[in-house]
Amino acid sequence: WKVMESALIKAAERKVPMLVCNPDKVRPDAGLPPMPGAIGDTYERFLWTTHCAPLGDMDELGARTYVKRVGKPFQEVYDIALQSCEGDVSSAIMIGDALETDVTGGNRVGCTTLWVIRDGI
């Protein structure tokens, strides 16, 4: 984590944009590196705290513009996935193990959702 934190601080100092392709924040298997969504949240925090000079030139809302999240639960991924349904979301089901991303995203677009909880989050 120390190496990643150092890299995130250097990127924040330069205000490098970040693309988070998997917004999941929590992982079911402890002891492995953090999930991309959690890394994105940390980077946003570094952008609007003292890690990003000059101090005070960015707030939390401004930092969010530097971190683009794609994938569940965001609309773009569902637009692509539901193209074959021709707008009829009643014929689709979102199956996932993460309540915050999988189930929330499916509910936002009007899909039936199935939350897998035995070995998920």
Side-chain angles (χ1 to χ4, degrees):
W1 175 247
K2 292 289 184 191
V3 172
M4 186 182 314
E5 184 179 70
S6 175
L8 291 174
I9 290 169
K10 288 177 184 174
E13 288 169 350
R14 294 173 178 85
K15 295 182 177 70
V16 176
M18 176 184 274
L19 179 62
V20 178
C21 296
N22 176 0
D24 287 345
K25 297 177 185 181
V26 180
R27 65 180 319 128
D29 42 0
L32 293 175
M35 293 294 286
I39 295 168
D41 288 352
T42 300
Y43 186 59
E44 281 181 358
R45 194 169 51 256
F46 287 167
L47 282 165
W48 63 271
T49 62
T50 57
H51 295 293
C52 188
L55 181 60
D57 79 331
M58 188 176 305
D59 59 12
E60 187 174 358
L61 190 59
R64 288 187 187 143
T65 65
Y66 285 83
V67 181
K68 171 70 175 164
R69 290 170 170 83
V70 295
K72 307 164 293 178
F74 300 102
Q75 186 67 42
E76 298 96 337
V77 74
Y78 289 96
D79 291 343
I80 294 166
L82 295 170
Q83 283 178 353
S84 64
C85 296
E86 298 175 1
D88 180 18
V89 297
S90 67
S91 63
I93 184 169
M94 174 61 217
I95 301 170
D97 65 350
L99 184 62
E100 183 180 11
T101 53
D102 302 333
V103 175
T104 299
N107 285 337
R108 277 189 193 155
V109 299
C111 283
T112 298
T113 59
L114 176 64
W115 185 24
V116 180
I117 58 171
R118 283 247 159 122
D119 57 348
I121 300 167

